[in-house]
Amino acid sequence: MDGQVGCGSILVLVEDVMVPISVVYNAISILKKEGVEKLDPMIVTQASTQSLTSVESASRDIVALICRSLEFPSDKMCGDISRVLKPGGTVLLSLSSQSVSKQANSTHERKLLLAGFSDAQSSEAGHSIVITAKKPSWKVGSSFSIKKITKNLPKVQIDDDSDLIDEDSLLTEEDLKKPQLPNVGDCEVGKTKKACKNCSCGRAEAETKVQLGPTAEQLDNPQSACGSCGLGDAFRCGTCPYKGLPPFKLGEKVTLSANFLDADI
């Protein structure tokens, strides 16, 4: 069972079943240099998280822990210690230097920081390692008004007589001339007559119109740039004007047989 001695504003949590009172006073003397023997701290042996359930919130100025292992105090107990401490209160961990390594020292400091304490510091006191930390001075749920700092903006004086450039003076006579728009109605843009981009007069349709079938001149004097037009449709390209006509010799008039238009069956 947990043992409790005294009340006061100092709470001492001990991991072991028994602890010499001199060890308790030596730990407290790190924070209070004078009158340690007159203090009446509340000492809890075999301390656990349940040991702090009956302690009122924000009722202690100092909470001292006498530890010998990494597991003490637990993360939950560190949170309960923060609850029972007054704002600005101090928590002190005293660890035996014989059983404490550098890793254990940093582990306990990290536990205190995660519980909301600040200014964690470690030092040696005789045969012990002591870690102290502070609880923030503000209370949970406290509020304060933020004073709005008004700064006077610097006044900029504008001199009307300053040397300003007139924008109109930057323009030349050529810039002021009205540009001549091209004659879009008859698509005569530039030296060559061709359809404009947004042609609506019919020139574009005339330029893109595909000639269907050979002309009379092509039938009287057939010519071929590729040399395959007279060999038949199997050798002609898709845009060949002679497509559909029978094979012929280049330079000779293309003639159709008497039964060319007769049905095959």
Side-chain angles (χ1 to χ4, degrees):
M1 294 180 60
D2 298 342
Q4 299 184 2
V5 179
C7 51
S9 62
I10 300 177
L11 176 63
V12 180
L13 304 176
V14 183
E15 184 178 6
D16 295 328
V17 179
M18 298 178 61
V19 61
I21 193 65
S22 60
V23 175
V24 175
Y25 284 146
N26 289 336
I28 299 175
S29 64
I30 298 175
L31 300 177
K32 289 186 172 292
K33 301 297 183 182
E34 299 178 355
V36 177
E37 292 78 5
K38 298 179 181 180
L39 298 175
D40 187 19
M42 177 181 179
I43 304 174
V44 180
T45 58
Q46 286 186 316
S48 63
T49 55
Q50 296 179 353
S51 305
L52 299 174
T53 55
S54 60
V55 182
E56 296 181 1
S57 300
S59 60
R60 306 295 171 178
D61 294 319
I62 299 174
V63 175
L65 297 98
I66 299 177
C67 319
R68 59 175 174 80
S69 64
L70 287 174
E71 291 75 16
F72 187 85
S74 63
D75 296 338
K76 178 67 169 58
M77 183 179 289
C78 290
D80 293 336
I81 293 171
S82 177
R83 177 184 63 82
V84 301
L85 272 176
K86 296 179 181 179
T90 304
V91 59
L92 180 146
L93 274 74
S94 178
L95 304 97
S96 175
S97 59
Q98 298 177 355
S99 59
V100 172
S101 61
K102 185 177 181 180
Q103 179 183 2
N105 193 8
S106 61
T107 300
H108 284 86
E109 289 185 7
R110 185 174 67 253
K111 284 184 179 181
L112 294 177
L113 293 176
L114 292 177
F117 294 97
S118 60
D119 299 333
Q121 298 178 356
S122 60
S123 61
E124 294 185 6
H127 298 287
S128 301
I129 301 296
V130 177
I131 302 174
T132 58
K134 287 280 187 179
K135 181 181 178 179
S137 58
W138 44 265
K139 294 181 180 180
V140 176
S142 60
S143 61
F144 59 93
S145 60
I146 300 177
K147 295 182 180 180
K148 186 177 180 181
I149 301 175
T150 57
K151 294 183 179 180
N152 295 327
L153 298 177
K155 295 182 179 180
V156 179
Q157 296 181 354
I158 300 177
D159 187 5
D160 295 336
D161 298 332
S162 59
D163 189 11
L164 298 178
I165 300 176
D166 186 8
E167 295 89 347
D168 295 335
S169 64
L170 301 176
L171 300 176
T172 61
E173 294 183 0
E174 293 293 332
D175 298 329
L176 298 176
K177 289 183 179 180
K178 185 177 181 180
Q180 297 292 331
L181 298 177
N183 188 2
V184 183
D186 56 356
C187 295
E188 293 183 358
V189 181
K191 297 181 179 180
T192 306
K193 292 184 179 180
K194 60 179 181 179
C196 59
K197 183 177 181 181
N198 299 321
C199 179
S200 60
C201 65
R203 184 182 294 275
E205 289 81 356
E207 291 180 356
T208 59
K209 186 177 180 181
V210 180
Q211 179 68 32
L212 300 177
T215 60
E217 183 181 356
Q218 290 174 334
L219 291 175
D220 294 338
N221 185 20
Q223 300 293 330
S224 175
C226 62
S228 301
C229 297
L231 301 178
D233 286 345
F235 302 94
R236 293 167 182 163
C237 59
T239 58
C240 183
Y242 300 102
K243 196 170 184 180
L245 296 178
F248 56 84
K249 292 182 179 180
L250 298 179
E252 297 182 2
K253 184 178 181 180
V254 181
T255 58
L256 302 177
S257 61
N259 60 350
F260 181 76
L261 298 177
D262 295 341
D264 295 336
I265 56 174

mmCIF file of all heavy atoms in Angstrom, residues 195-242:
data_model
loop_
_atom_site.group_PDB
_atom_site.id
_atom_site.type_symbol
_atom_site.label_atom_id
_atom_site.label_comp_id
_atom_site.label_asym_id
_atom_site.label_seq_id
_atom_site.Cartn_x
_atom_site.Cartn_y
_atom_site.Cartn_z
ATOM 1 N N ALA A 195 -7.426 33.673 -100.595
ATOM 2 C CA ALA A 195 -8.468 33.758 -99.582
ATOM 3 C C ALA A 195 -7.873 34.128 -98.234
ATOM 4 O O ALA A 195 -6.790 33.675 -97.862
ATOM 5 C CB ALA A 195 -9.208 32.428 -99.488
ATOM 6 N N CYS A 196 -8.589 34.983 -97.531
ATOM 7 C CA CYS A 196 -8.133 35.358 -96.192
ATOM 8 C C CYS A 196 -8.515 34.262 -95.201
ATOM 9 O O CYS A 196 -9.187 33.286 -95.539
ATOM 10 C CB CYS A 196 -8.730 36.701 -95.778
ATOM 11 S SG CYS A 196 -10.532 36.711 -95.772
ATOM 12 N N LYS A 197 -8.123 34.489 -93.931
ATOM 13 C CA LYS A 197 -8.339 33.455 -92.921
ATOM 14 C C LYS A 197 -9.816 33.245 -92.655
ATOM 15 O O LYS A 197 -10.281 32.106 -92.524
ATOM 16 C CB LYS A 197 -7.613 33.851 -91.625
ATOM 17 C CG LYS A 197 -7.704 32.810 -90.534
ATOM 18 C CD LYS A 197 -6.905 33.234 -89.329
ATOM 19 C CE LYS A 197 -6.990 32.163 -88.238
ATOM 20 N NZ LYS A 197 -6.224 32.563 -87.030
ATOM 21 N N ASN A 198 -10.562 34.321 -92.568
ATOM 22 C CA ASN A 198 -12.006 34.239 -92.301
ATOM 23 C C ASN A 198 -12.786 34.602 -93.566
ATOM 24 O O ASN A 198 -13.655 35.470 -93.567
ATOM 25 C CB ASN A 198 -12.397 35.156 -91.145
ATOM 26 C CG ASN A 198 -11.699 34.780 -89.859
ATOM 27 O OD1 ASN A 198 -11.536 33.601 -89.584
ATOM 28 N ND2 ASN A 198 -11.296 35.773 -89.076
ATOM 29 N N CYS A 199 -12.443 33.944 -94.656
ATOM 30 C CA CYS A 199 -13.055 34.274 -95.948
ATOM 31 C C CYS A 199 -14.550 33.949 -95.936
ATOM 32 O O CYS A 199 -14.966 32.882 -95.478
ATOM 33 C CB CYS A 199 -12.354 33.492 -97.062
ATOM 34 S SG CYS A 199 -13.065 33.797 -98.708
ATOM 35 N N SER A 200 -15.335 34.909 -96.451
ATOM 36 C CA SER A 200 -16.789 34.704 -96.553
ATOM 37 C C SER A 200 -17.328 35.028 -97.946
ATOM 38 O O SER A 200 -18.537 35.050 -98.138
ATOM 39 C CB SER A 200 -17.505 35.566 -95.497
ATOM 40 O OG SER A 200 -17.207 36.947 -95.703
ATOM 41 N N CYS A 201 -16.400 35.291 -98.900
ATOM 42 C CA CYS A 201 -16.834 35.662 -100.246
ATOM 43 C C CYS A 201 -16.845 34.478 -101.205
ATOM 44 O O CYS A 201 -17.209 34.634 -102.367
ATOM 45 C CB CYS A 201 -15.942 36.779 -100.797
ATOM 46 S SG CYS A 201 -14.227 36.267 -101.029
ATOM 47 N N GLY A 202 -16.401 33.300 -100.787
ATOM 48 C CA GLY A 202 -16.413 32.127 -101.643
ATOM 49 C C GLY A 202 -15.090 31.780 -102.262
ATOM 50 O O GLY A 202 -14.957 30.748 -102.920
ATOM 51 N N ARG A 203 -14.044 32.645 -102.062
ATOM 52 C CA ARG A 203 -12.748 32.365 -102.655
ATOM 53 C C ARG A 203 -12.110 31.127 -102.032
ATOM 54 O O ARG A 203 -11.447 30.337 -102.720
ATOM 55 C CB ARG A 203 -11.824 33.570 -102.498
ATOM 56 C CG ARG A 203 -10.466 33.397 -103.195
ATOM 57 C CD ARG A 203 -9.580 34.605 -102.964
ATOM 58 N NE ARG A 203 -10.110 35.783 -103.594
ATOM 59 C CZ ARG A 203 -9.913 36.118 -104.875
ATOM 60 N NH1 ARG A 203 -9.200 35.317 -105.662
ATOM 61 N NH2 ARG A 203 -10.411 37.214 -105.380
ATOM 62 N N ALA A 204 -12.308 30.963 -100.732
ATOM 63 C CA ALA A 204 -11.708 29.811 -100.064
ATOM 64 C C ALA A 204 -12.286 28.510 -100.605
ATOM 65 O O ALA A 204 -11.572 27.528 -100.812
ATOM 66 C CB ALA A 204 -11.930 29.904 -98.557
ATOM 67 N N GLU A 205 -13.615 28.488 -100.861
ATOM 68 C CA GLU A 205 -14.235 27.285 -101.406
ATOM 69 C C GLU A 205 -13.722 26.995 -102.802
ATOM 70 O O GLU A 205 -13.521 25.831 -103.198
ATOM 71 C CB GLU A 205 -15.756 27.417 -101.400
ATOM 72 C CG GLU A 205 -16.398 27.373 -100.021
ATOM 73 C CD GLU A 205 -16.322 28.703 -99.313
ATOM 74 O OE1 GLU A 205 -15.706 29.639 -99.872
ATOM 75 O OE2 GLU A 205 -16.853 28.815 -98.186
ATOM 76 N N ALA A 206 -13.499 28.062 -103.562
ATOM 77 C CA ALA A 206 -13.019 27.865 -104.936
ATOM 78 C C ALA A 206 -11.590 27.326 -104.946
ATOM 79 O O ALA A 206 -11.226 26.531 -105.821
ATOM 80 C CB ALA A 206 -13.101 29.184 -105.704
ATOM 81 N N GLU A 207 -10.772 27.791 -103.978
ATOM 82 C CA GLU A 207 -9.383 27.316 -103.947
ATOM 83 C C GLU A 207 -9.276 25.870 -103.487
ATOM 84 O O GLU A 207 -8.402 25.132 -103.912
ATOM 85 C CB GLU A 207 -8.556 28.226 -103.026
ATOM 86 C CG GLU A 207 -8.357 29.627 -103.573
ATOM 87 C CD GLU A 207 -7.538 30.480 -102.632
ATOM 88 O OE1 GLU A 207 -7.208 29.975 -101.544
ATOM 89 O OE2 GLU A 207 -7.241 31.638 -102.977
ATOM 90 N N THR A 208 -10.183 25.470 -102.596
ATOM 91 C CA THR A 208 -10.132 24.104 -102.088
ATOM 92 C C THR A 208 -10.988 23.140 -102.876
ATOM 93 O O THR A 208 -11.071 21.960 -102.530
ATOM 94 C CB THR A 208 -10.587 24.097 -100.616
ATOM 95 O OG1 THR A 208 -11.922 24.625 -100.537
ATOM 96 C CG2 THR A 208 -9.660 24.924 -99.741
ATOM 97 N N LYS A 209 -11.645 23.607 -103.909
ATOM 98 C CA LYS A 209 -12.507 22.729 -104.704
ATOM 99 C C LYS A 209 -11.659 21.704 -105.449
ATOM 100 O O LYS A 209 -10.658 22.031 -106.074
ATOM 101 C CB LYS A 209 -13.312 23.558 -105.694
ATOM 102 C CG LYS A 209 -14.345 22.737 -106.460
ATOM 103 C CD LYS A 209 -15.165 23.627 -107.368
ATOM 104 C CE LYS A 209 -16.188 22.797 -108.130
ATOM 105 N NZ LYS A 209 -16.994 23.627 -109.045
ATOM 106 N N VAL A 210 -12.044 20.480 -105.354
ATOM 107 C CA VAL A 210 -11.307 19.389 -105.977
ATOM 108 C C VAL A 210 -11.896 19.107 -107.359
ATOM 109 O O VAL A 210 -13.105 18.948 -107.505
ATOM 110 C CB VAL A 210 -11.366 18.124 -105.095
ATOM 111 C CG1 VAL A 210 -10.604 16.976 -105.744
ATOM 112 C CG2 VAL A 210 -10.801 18.413 -103.712
ATOM 113 N N GLN A 211 -11.023 19.047 -108.294
ATOM 114 C CA GLN A 211 -11.451 18.737 -109.672
ATOM 115 C C GLN A 211 -11.790 17.253 -109.751
ATOM 116 O O GLN A 211 -10.935 16.397 -109.514
ATOM 117 C CB GLN A 211 -10.329 19.092 -110.663
ATOM 118 C CG GLN A 211 -10.651 18.780 -112.109
ATOM 119 C CD GLN A 211 -11.741 19.677 -112.663
ATOM 120 O OE1 GLN A 211 -11.851 20.828 -112.267
ATOM 121 N NE2 GLN A 211 -12.557 19.142 -113.554
ATOM 122 N N LEU A 212 -13.024 16.932 -110.083
ATOM 123 C CA LEU A 212 -13.468 15.543 -110.191
ATOM 124 C C LEU A 212 -13.354 15.081 -111.639
ATOM 125 O O LEU A 212 -13.966 15.655 -112.533
ATOM 126 C CB LEU A 212 -14.927 15.409 -109.712
ATOM 127 C CG LEU A 212 -15.187 15.825 -108.256
ATOM 128 C CD1 LEU A 212 -16.672 15.702 -107.936
ATOM 129 C CD2 LEU A 212 -14.352 14.990 -107.304
ATOM 130 N N GLY A 213 -12.561 14.028 -111.854
ATOM 131 C CA GLY A 213 -12.405 13.479 -113.201
ATOM 132 C C GLY A 213 -11.431 14.280 -114.037
ATOM 133 O O GLY A 213 -11.120 15.432 -113.747
ATOM 134 N N PRO A 214 -10.926 13.711 -115.110
ATOM 135 C CA PRO A 214 -9.963 14.406 -115.979
ATOM 136 C C PRO A 214 -10.660 15.427 -116.857
ATOM 137 O O PRO A 214 -11.835 15.307 -117.209
ATOM 138 C CB PRO A 214 -9.362 13.263 -116.786
ATOM 139 C CG PRO A 214 -10.434 12.229 -116.828
ATOM 140 C CD PRO A 214 -11.190 12.313 -115.547
ATOM 141 N N THR A 215 -9.887 16.430 -117.227
ATOM 142 C CA THR A 215 -10.405 17.422 -118.165
ATOM 143 C C THR A 215 -10.265 16.903 -119.587
ATOM 144 O O THR A 215 -9.651 15.850 -119.838
ATOM 145 C CB THR A 215 -9.631 18.738 -118.001
ATOM 146 O OG1 THR A 215 -8.248 18.491 -118.278
ATOM 147 C CG2 THR A 215 -9.762 19.273 -116.572
ATOM 148 N N ALA A 216 -10.825 17.652 -120.553
ATOM 149 C CA ALA A 216 -10.742 17.235 -121.962
ATOM 150 C C ALA A 216 -9.298 17.223 -122.439
ATOM 151 O O ALA A 216 -8.872 16.348 -123.197
ATOM 152 C CB ALA A 216 -11.590 18.182 -122.817
ATOM 153 N N GLU A 217 -8.513 18.166 -121.969
ATOM 154 C CA GLU A 217 -7.104 18.211 -122.351
ATOM 155 C C GLU A 217 -6.344 16.997 -121.817
ATOM 156 O O GLU A 217 -5.468 16.442 -122.488
ATOM 157 C CB GLU A 217 -6.470 19.505 -121.837
ATOM 158 C CG GLU A 217 -5.010 19.673 -122.246
ATOM 159 C CD GLU A 217 -4.400 20.952 -121.716
ATOM 160 O OE1 GLU A 217 -5.138 21.757 -121.094
ATOM 161 O OE2 GLU A 217 -3.190 21.148 -121.904
ATOM 162 N N GLN A 218 -6.682 16.582 -120.585
ATOM 163 C CA GLN A 218 -6.018 15.414 -120.011
ATOM 164 C C GLN A 218 -6.399 14.132 -120.743
ATOM 165 O O GLN A 218 -5.603 13.194 -120.814
ATOM 166 C CB GLN A 218 -6.368 15.298 -118.519
ATOM 167 C CG GLN A 218 -5.747 16.389 -117.666
ATOM 168 C CD GLN A 218 -6.210 16.337 -116.235
ATOM 169 O OE1 GLN A 218 -7.309 15.834 -115.949
ATOM 170 N NE2 GLN A 218 -5.401 16.880 -115.330
ATOM 171 N N LEU A 219 -7.606 14.095 -121.327
ATOM 172 C CA LEU A 219 -8.018 12.901 -122.088
ATOM 173 C C LEU A 219 -7.351 12.867 -123.465
ATOM 174 O O LEU A 219 -7.008 11.794 -123.964
ATOM 175 C CB LEU A 219 -9.545 12.871 -122.223
ATOM 176 C CG LEU A 219 -10.338 12.616 -120.926
ATOM 177 C CD1 LEU A 219 -11.825 12.725 -121.179
ATOM 178 C CD2 LEU A 219 -9.989 11.250 -120.346
ATOM 179 N N ASP A 220 -7.197 14.043 -124.106
ATOM 180 C CA ASP A 220 -6.581 14.074 -125.432
ATOM 181 C C ASP A 220 -5.080 13.850 -125.367
ATOM 182 O O ASP A 220 -4.494 13.214 -126.250
ATOM 183 C CB ASP A 220 -6.887 15.435 -126.097
ATOM 184 C CG ASP A 220 -8.376 15.597 -126.397
ATOM 185 O OD1 ASP A 220 -9.073 14.556 -126.488
ATOM 186 O OD2 ASP A 220 -8.835 16.752 -126.502
ATOM 187 N N ASN A 221 -4.443 14.375 -124.363
ATOM 188 C CA ASN A 221 -2.996 14.238 -124.243
ATOM 189 C C ASN A 221 -2.657 13.881 -122.799
ATOM 190 O O ASN A 221 -2.222 14.722 -122.018
ATOM 191 C CB ASN A 221 -2.314 15.542 -124.658
ATOM 192 C CG ASN A 221 -0.801 15.414 -124.670
ATOM 193 O OD1 ASN A 221 -0.249 14.307 -124.728
ATOM 194 N ND2 ASN A 221 -0.101 16.549 -124.609
ATOM 195 N N PRO A 222 -2.898 12.639 -122.431
ATOM 196 C CA PRO A 222 -2.654 12.255 -121.030
ATOM 197 C C PRO A 222 -1.171 12.286 -120.696
ATOM 198 O O PRO A 222 -0.345 11.812 -121.462
ATOM 199 C CB PRO A 222 -3.243 10.845 -120.944
ATOM 200 C CG PRO A 222 -3.167 10.338 -122.336
ATOM 201 C CD PRO A 222 -3.389 11.499 -123.248
ATOM 202 N N GLN A 223 -0.868 12.846 -119.514
ATOM 203 C CA GLN A 223 0.498 12.900 -119.003
ATOM 204 C C GLN A 223 0.498 12.373 -117.562
ATOM 205 O O GLN A 223 -0.538 12.359 -116.882
ATOM 206 C CB GLN A 223 1.047 14.328 -119.048
ATOM 207 C CG GLN A 223 1.081 14.940 -120.447
ATOM 208 C CD GLN A 223 2.078 14.236 -121.349
ATOM 209 O OE1 GLN A 223 3.106 13.705 -120.879
ATOM 210 N NE2 GLN A 223 1.784 14.205 -122.653
ATOM 211 N N SER A 224 1.650 11.963 -117.089
ATOM 212 C CA SER A 224 1.756 11.412 -115.741
ATOM 213 C C SER A 224 3.070 11.849 -115.115
ATOM 214 O O SER A 224 4.138 11.623 -115.693
ATOM 215 C CB SER A 224 1.667 9.886 -115.751
ATOM 216 O OG SER A 224 1.878 9.357 -114.464
ATOM 217 N N ALA A 225 2.988 12.488 -113.956
ATOM 218 C CA ALA A 225 4.196 12.904 -113.253
ATOM 219 C C ALA A 225 4.891 11.728 -112.578
ATOM 220 O O ALA A 225 6.112 11.694 -112.454
ATOM 221 C CB ALA A 225 3.854 13.967 -112.209
ATOM 222 N N CYS A 226 4.092 10.717 -112.191
ATOM 223 C CA CYS A 226 4.683 9.567 -111.509
ATOM 224 C C CYS A 226 4.978 8.417 -112.463
ATOM 225 O O CYS A 226 5.710 7.487 -112.122
ATOM 226 C CB CYS A 226 3.754 9.081 -110.394
ATOM 227 S SG CYS A 226 2.142 8.522 -110.989
ATOM 228 N N GLY A 227 4.400 8.471 -113.649
ATOM 229 C CA GLY A 227 4.636 7.429 -114.631
ATOM 230 C C GLY A 227 3.776 6.195 -114.459
ATOM 231 O O GLY A 227 3.931 5.215 -115.206
ATOM 232 N N SER A 228 2.855 6.196 -113.506
ATOM 233 C CA SER A 228 2.037 5.017 -113.244
ATOM 234 C C SER A 228 0.577 5.225 -113.570
ATOM 235 O O SER A 228 -0.228 4.308 -113.387
ATOM 236 C CB SER A 228 2.163 4.623 -111.756
ATOM 237 O OG SER A 228 3.513 4.349 -111.421
ATOM 238 N N CYS A 229 0.201 6.423 -114.056
ATOM 239 C CA CYS A 229 -1.212 6.692 -114.304
ATOM 240 C C CYS A 229 -1.774 5.832 -115.434
ATOM 241 O O CYS A 229 -2.947 5.458 -115.416
ATOM 242 C CB CYS A 229 -1.424 8.176 -114.634
ATOM 243 S SG CYS A 229 -0.984 9.289 -113.265
ATOM 244 N N GLY A 230 -0.951 5.503 -116.439
ATOM 245 C CA GLY A 230 -1.464 4.741 -117.583
ATOM 246 C C GLY A 230 -1.477 3.246 -117.349
ATOM 247 O O GLY A 230 -1.920 2.492 -118.242
ATOM 248 N N LEU A 231 -1.042 2.773 -116.181
ATOM 249 C CA LEU A 231 -0.974 1.328 -115.943
ATOM 250 C C LEU A 231 -2.272 0.762 -115.396
ATOM 251 O O LEU A 231 -2.430 -0.447 -115.330
ATOM 252 C CB LEU A 231 0.170 1.028 -114.970
ATOM 253 C CG LEU A 231 1.567 1.461 -115.414
ATOM 254 C CD1 LEU A 231 2.598 1.155 -114.351
ATOM 255 C CD2 LEU A 231 1.939 0.782 -116.731
ATOM 256 N N GLY A 232 -3.185 1.599 -114.998
ATOM 257 C CA GLY A 232 -4.448 1.111 -114.448
ATOM 258 C C GLY A 232 -4.627 1.529 -112.997
ATOM 259 O O GLY A 232 -3.717 2.059 -112.351
ATOM 260 N N ASP A 233 -5.848 1.259 -112.478
ATOM 261 C CA ASP A 233 -6.177 1.697 -111.127
ATOM 262 C C ASP A 233 -5.315 1.033 -110.053
ATOM 263 O O ASP A 233 -5.117 1.598 -108.972
ATOM 264 C CB ASP A 233 -7.652 1.408 -110.833
ATOM 265 C CG ASP A 233 -8.574 2.374 -111.572
ATOM 266 O OD1 ASP A 233 -8.069 3.399 -112.064
ATOM 267 O OD2 ASP A 233 -9.789 2.106 -111.646
ATOM 268 N N ALA A 234 -4.817 -0.137 -110.337
ATOM 269 C CA ALA A 234 -3.998 -0.825 -109.331
ATOM 270 C C ALA A 234 -2.708 -0.080 -109.044
ATOM 271 O O ALA A 234 -2.115 -0.248 -107.979
ATOM 272 C CB ALA A 234 -3.702 -2.247 -109.793
ATOM 273 N N PHE A 235 -2.260 0.775 -109.966
ATOM 274 C CA PHE A 235 -0.999 1.495 -109.818
ATOM 275 C C PHE A 235 -1.200 2.985 -109.591
ATOM 276 O O PHE A 235 -0.233 3.730 -109.481
ATOM 277 C CB PHE A 235 -0.132 1.297 -111.068
ATOM 278 C CG PHE A 235 0.161 -0.151 -111.363
ATOM 279 C CD1 PHE A 235 -0.650 -0.857 -112.233
ATOM 280 C CD2 PHE A 235 1.226 -0.795 -110.752
ATOM 281 C CE1 PHE A 235 -0.393 -2.190 -112.509
ATOM 282 C CE2 PHE A 235 1.485 -2.125 -111.048
ATOM 283 C CZ PHE A 235 0.680 -2.834 -111.913
ATOM 284 N N ARG A 236 -2.443 3.436 -109.560
ATOM 285 C CA ARG A 236 -2.733 4.862 -109.417
ATOM 286 C C ARG A 236 -2.924 5.226 -107.937
ATOM 287 O O ARG A 236 -3.388 4.419 -107.140
ATOM 288 C CB ARG A 236 -3.987 5.228 -110.221
ATOM 289 C CG ARG A 236 -3.792 5.092 -111.720
ATOM 290 C CD ARG A 236 -5.107 5.156 -112.472
ATOM 291 N NE ARG A 236 -4.905 4.963 -113.916
ATOM 292 C CZ ARG A 236 -5.875 4.644 -114.758
ATOM 293 N NH1 ARG A 236 -7.120 4.463 -114.307
ATOM 294 N NH2 ARG A 236 -5.613 4.498 -116.049
ATOM 295 N N CYS A 237 -2.608 6.486 -107.622
ATOM 296 C CA CYS A 237 -2.778 6.971 -106.255
ATOM 297 C C CYS A 237 -4.231 7.386 -106.032
ATOM 298 O O CYS A 237 -5.041 7.389 -106.961
ATOM 299 C CB CYS A 237 -1.837 8.144 -105.977
ATOM 300 S SG CYS A 237 -2.073 9.560 -107.077
ATOM 301 N N GLY A 238 -4.534 7.768 -104.783
ATOM 302 C CA GLY A 238 -5.918 8.070 -104.441
ATOM 303 C C GLY A 238 -6.442 9.328 -105.084
ATOM 304 O O GLY A 238 -7.650 9.474 -105.285
ATOM 305 N N THR A 239 -5.567 10.285 -105.450
ATOM 306 C CA THR A 239 -6.011 11.552 -106.058
ATOM 307 C C THR A 239 -5.752 11.611 -107.556
ATOM 308 O O THR A 239 -5.778 12.687 -108.139
ATOM 309 C CB THR A 239 -5.279 12.711 -105.376
ATOM 310 O OG1 THR A 239 -3.869 12.525 -105.521
ATOM 311 C CG2 THR A 239 -5.626 12.801 -103.891
ATOM 312 N N CYS A 240 -5.494 10.465 -108.145
ATOM 313 C CA CYS A 240 -5.203 10.443 -109.594
ATOM 314 C C CYS A 240 -6.446 10.831 -110.395
ATOM 315 O O CYS A 240 -7.531 10.274 -110.190
ATOM 316 C CB CYS A 240 -4.727 9.051 -110.005
ATOM 317 S SG CYS A 240 -4.275 8.948 -111.763
ATOM 318 N N PRO A 241 -6.353 11.787 -111.341
ATOM 319 C CA PRO A 241 -7.523 12.192 -112.130
ATOM 320 C C PRO A 241 -7.984 11.111 -113.116
ATOM 321 O O PRO A 241 -9.119 11.169 -113.614
ATOM 322 C CB PRO A 241 -7.039 13.448 -112.864
ATOM 323 C CG PRO A 241 -5.556 13.304 -112.924
ATOM 324 C CD PRO A 241 -5.166 12.583 -111.682
ATOM 325 N N TYR A 242 -7.110 10.136 -113.388
ATOM 326 C CA TYR A 242 -7.466 9.075 -114.341
ATOM 327 C C TYR A 242 -8.046 7.848 -113.635
ATOM 328 O O TYR A 242 -8.204 6.796 -114.264
ATOM 329 C CB TYR A 242 -6.231 8.654 -115.139
ATOM 330 C CG TYR A 242 -5.626 9.789 -115.936
ATOM 331 C CD1 TYR A 242 -4.483 10.449 -115.497
ATOM 332 C CD2 TYR A 242 -6.208 10.212 -117.144
ATOM 333 C CE1 TYR A 242 -3.929 11.478 -116.218
ATOM 334 C CE2 TYR A 242 -5.654 11.253 -117.878
ATOM 335 C CZ TYR A 242 -4.512 11.880 -117.413
ATOM 336 O OH TYR A 242 -3.964 12.915 -118.126
#
